[in-house]
Amino acid sequence: MKTVSFAHLKSFDRSFCLLPRSPAMAVSAFRVTQLPLLHQSQFTVARAASSKTMIGGRRNLKGFVISAQYSQSQDLFTSRLQSRIENLPKLVEDIVQTSINTGPRGALRLVQGVQAFLGVGGEWLNDLSKSTRVSGALPTEMQLGLLSPLYLRKLFERMGATYIKLGQFIASAPTLFPPEYVEEFQNCFDKAPPVPFEEIRKILQEELGRPIESVYEYVDPAPLASASIAQVHGARLRGSQEDVVIKVLKPGIEDFLVADLNFIYVVARIFEFLSPEFSRTSLVGIVKDIRESMLEEVDFNKEAKNIESFKRYLETMGLSGQATAPRVYKHCSSRRVLTMERLYGVPLTDLDSISALVSSPENSLITALNVWFGSLLSCESFHADVHAGNLWLLRDGRIGFLDFGIVGRISPKTWAAMEVFLASIATEEYESMASALIQMGATNIDVDAKAFARDLEKMFSSIQELDTEIVVATGSGRTAVAANVVVDERQMNALFLDLVRVSESYGLKFPREFALLMKQLLYFDRYTRLLAPNMNMLQDQRISVVSNRRTKDSFN
């Protein structure tokens, strides 16, 4: 609640002086005062008490306090009303301009949105019917309808690229969204039916400005992969005969993104206008962050720069013999088309294939960890999506980093706190862990570090006990390792969400980079349990977590 000074405790009549001078505004404001900011009984008591000011000091004081409370509410309300009236023209201007920018594509997306809504709504009604027949009672999730985590995630998947990416943003930002939604949107899959090759051929020709036969000797019409935003085809370059992959932006995606993001922006602006609480959470700022992130993903020129930056880091640090990223062929790349060297290898989760390629899968994992940790400060950006499809062991024994559409950037100060946090996890020094989290988290209040440390210790102890039970239950051998990996992924996600909950109870809000880093560490934890189950990723002396490298300024 906003603190009000004694100077605001004015008489009831005084509050009307703060209303707008315009007659129309004054009438509008007067009408709004009839809303139940105070119950009618309070208003009556205030007047009655004020009329009896001469009947004794106690009643007089009581009347003054109630009248002052009402006046305080009136002043606060009037101030908010004036602020909204002042901001209304800007809101209208933003909505009009956004509508103009969106154009006819907004109507098309509206139709598609209605279709998606009806489809998921039908699923909900069907599930509702089954639930009531079986149990008679209505589960909590069913009561929320399409706003429940499960059905909202399904709706996002049906709505396509923008909302799938928004769902992935929710999954990676537990400090901004409720934990049940963060957990559910971990399952937001980025899959989409392939676009017919003739449409892909048309885009290639438009972007290259010449027949594709003059650039590629062969393009496989069957896609290697198809996601919501792009589609990937195998090909061979004319002349050099090099094998390449072509990443092509799907037709119409940019129009959908513009329409969807403009709609989300308008909704956020309206929410902030109507409710000061949304303004304090920087809702529009979050939407702008999402917009910037999504638009970067559909500009392949930016992805090409991310790849080249990573390759420069490898060369400068003498790591090119241990790891690589695909070479970008600029003469046949553009904003909508990215032609890259085709790398051949296997994901880090394919233990049998990895064992056939190298004698020590553990050493390959250590290489991947050292290269990635080194990039946090020694490269302009770090790879922020190291799932198994993007991190391979190549046929020549090197580690291959693929798909640089999602990258992160971290300040040295944040990483310094992150290092202390990771070291304290390994050594179970909870006071150091609490201090590191306090340094990373934005807060306006003093945090009781010792109490925070005690709560962290309780949380981590319960997780360690759970992990021991899992290992005992699964026994030993290859099957046990696989089972442990599957369970551990859910467990580690739960750990992260618990960490955020405990931290938020002390008023801490972490930067999004913290969530991105933790997500990558969860991926590496999974690889460690599969490829090197006896290795402690954070304590092993062969892994350089500490940033004793040159700063990224050296590579600008």
Side-chain angles (χ1 to χ4, degrees):
M1 180 179 291
K2 183 178 179 181
T3 303
V4 180
S5 66
F6 183 77
H8 285 92
L9 301 179
K10 303 175 173 40
S11 67
F12 175 72
D13 294 333
R14 169 76 174 171
S15 67
F16 281 98
C17 298
L18 298 176
L19 290 174
R21 298 299 182 187
S22 162
M25 287 185 178
V27 171
S28 175
F30 182 76
R31 285 173 179 166
V32 177
T33 61
Q34 305 309 311
L35 293 173
L37 283 171
L38 291 172
H39 293 296
Q40 186 63 33
S41 58
Q42 288 178 286
F43 177 68
T44 305
V45 170
R47 289 203 312 187
S50 297
S51 66
K52 298 180 180 179
T53 55
M54 301 302 294
I55 305 180
R58 183 172 296 179
R59 288 186 179 181
N60 187 26
L61 178 59
K62 182 179 178 182
F64 172 76
V65 170
I66 296 175
S67 179
Q69 288 175 342
Y70 178 77
S71 179
Q72 177 181 334
S73 299
Q74 282 291 103
D75 283 353
L76 184 59
F77 170 77
T78 305
S79 174
R80 287 181 177 178
L81 180 64
Q82 280 185 311
S83 176
R84 290 178 187 176
I85 291 172
E86 289 169 3
N87 292 328
L88 183 58
K90 178 60 178 173
L91 173 66
V92 173
E93 181 185 343
D94 274 1
I95 293 174
V96 170
Q97 188 60 51
T98 303
S99 301
I100 293 171
N101 292 340
T102 305
R105 52 196 165 193
L108 174 61
R109 284 302 279 159
L110 178 62
V111 172
Q112 293 171 335
V114 170
Q115 291 173 340
F117 183 85
L118 292 175
V120 177
E123 286 186 43
W124 176 78
L125 287 173
N126 187 42
D127 293 344
L128 178 66
S129 176
K130 290 179 182 176
S131 296
T132 51
R133 281 204 304 267
V134 172
S135 62
L138 195 61
T140 304
E141 187 165 87
M142 299 301 297
Q143 294 175 17
L144 291 173
L146 299 194
L147 291 180
S148 71
L150 173 64
Y151 295 102
L152 191 62
R153 192 256 301 167
K154 289 184 175 182
L155 181 61
F156 275 29
E157 288 178 341
R158 284 193 181 226
M159 286 291 289
T162 311
Y163 291 88
I164 287 173
K165 293 298 178 186
L166 179 59
Q168 292 172 341
F169 182 90
I170 292 171
S172 68
T175 60
L176 299 176
F177 301 97
E180 57 270 20
Y181 287 86
V182 172
E183 200 161 354
E184 179 60 42
F185 277 94
Q186 301 284 344
N187 303 316
C188 194
F189 297 115
D190 190 0
K191 294 179 181 178
V195 171
F197 182 67
E198 284 308 310
E199 292 187 46
I200 297 296
R201 171 188 283 272
K202 184 179 177 182
I203 293 172
L204 286 172
Q205 192 151 324
E206 287 175 359
E207 291 296 303
L208 299 175
R210 54 192 184 276
I212 65 171
E213 291 78 12
S214 67
V215 180
Y216 308 105
E217 183 174 289
Y218 168 77
V219 179
D220 190 347
L224 294 171
S226 176
S228 57
I229 283 178
Q231 191 161 302
V232 178
H233 289 260
R236 186 177 299 120
L237 288 178
R238 180 168 293 282
S240 67
Q241 300 292 301
E242 292 172 279
D243 287 347
V244 296
V245 292
I246 313 170
K247 186 175 181 179
V248 184
L249 192 68
K250 287 187 172 179
I253 287 298
E254 288 173 291
D255 287 342
F256 288 164
L257 279 177
V258 170
D260 292 344
L261 291 171
N262 284 349
F263 170 74
I264 294 169
Y265 174 76
V266 167
V267 171
R269 286 284 286 115
I270 291 172
F271 278 169
E272 280 203 356
F273 177 78
L274 294 177
S275 174
E277 284 72 23
F278 282 109
S279 181
R280 283 194 288 272
T281 59
S282 301
L283 183 61
V284 169
I286 293 169
V287 169
K288 286 182 178 178
D289 186 18
I290 295 171
R291 184 178 187 276
E292 184 179 342
S293 175
M294 287 187 185
L295 292 181
E296 276 196 6
E297 279 197 65
V298 297
D299 185 349
F300 293 161
N301 285 328
K302 291 186 177 179
E303 183 173 350
K305 288 180 180 177
N306 294 336
I307 295 172
E308 290 171 347
S309 171
F310 186 76
K311 288 180 75 70
R312 281 198 305 274
Y313 150 70
L314 294 176
E315 291 169 8
T316 305
M317 303 302 294
L319 297 171
S320 298
Q322 301 175 43
T324 190
R327 172 189 170 190
V328 175
Y329 296 88
K330 292 183 179 180
H331 73 281
C332 44
S333 295
S334 68
R335 189 173 57 85
R336 299 168 66 200
V337 172
L338 184 59
T339 304
M340 299 170 286
E341 171 190 8
R342 185 167 185 176
L343 301 177
Y344 292 94
V346 295
L348 283 192
T349 50
D350 189 345
L351 183 57
D352 288 337
S353 298
I354 289 173
S355 299
L357 288 172
V358 293
S359 58
S360 175
E362 182 174 302
N363 286 341
S364 297
L365 174 62
I366 290 170
T367 297
L369 282 163
N370 281 329
V371 170
W372 185 80
F373 275 124
S375 71
L376 293 177
L377 287 183
S378 297
C379 189
E380 294 168 21
S381 57
F382 65 88
H383 197 303
D385 196 20
V386 291
H387 63 71
N390 290 340
L391 193 61
W392 287 8
L393 177 67
L394 304 181
R395 290 176 182 174
D396 61 8
R398 292 186 297 172
I399 299 296
F401 287 81
L402 312 176
D403 194 347
F404 284 75
I406 302 176
V407 297
R409 295 170 181 85
I410 186 168
S411 69
K413 180 181 177 182
T414 301
W415 176 239
M418 188 72 180
E419 284 179 341
V420 175
F421 169 70
L422 295 176
S424 61
I425 290 178
T427 58
E428 299 181 16
E429 295 176 1
Y430 296 103
E431 288 192 10
S432 295
M433 187 187 301
S435 297
L437 291 173
I438 291 168
Q439 186 178 342
M440 266 189 288
T443 181
N444 295 323
I445 60 175
D446 292 330
V447 178
D448 186 339
K450 290 190 176 180
F452 186 26
R454 287 194 296 271
D455 286 344
L456 289 171
E457 184 173 5
K458 289 177 187 175
M459 185 194 75
F460 277 90
S461 296
S462 65
I463 290 293
Q464 287 166 359
E465 289 169 9
L466 175 61
D467 186 59
T468 303
E469 291 170 8
I470 293 169
V471 173
V472 171
T474 56
S476 60
R478 169 70 186 281
T479 305
V481 172
N484 196 22
V485 170
V486 173
V487 176
D488 186 70
E489 184 180 357
R490 292 198 302 268
Q491 177 184 320
M492 290 298 287
N493 279 327
L495 167 62
F496 184 33
L497 292 174
D498 285 343
L499 176 63
V500 170
R501 287 189 197 104
V502 172
S503 301
E504 284 189 337
S505 70
Y506 286 88
L508 297 174
K509 295 287 184 184
F510 299 122
R512 185 171 176 246
E513 288 75 20
F514 176 72
L516 279 176
L517 284 170
M518 287 298 295
K519 187 174 181 181
Q520 309 321 304
L521 290 173
L522 295 182
Y523 282 130
F524 279 118
D525 180 80
R526 187 194 319 171
Y527 304 145
T528 300
R529 293 187 179 259
L530 181 61
L531 303 177
N534 297 320
M535 184 179 79
N536 187 316
M537 182 176 71
L538 301 178
Q539 283 186 312
D540 197 292
Q541 295 298 312
R542 296 168 294 175
I543 300 171
S544 302
V545 178
V546 179
S547 56
N548 54 359
R549 306 166 176 86
R550 285 187 286 170
T551 63
K552 63 184 179 182
D553 293 335
S554 305
F555 308 106
N556 289 342

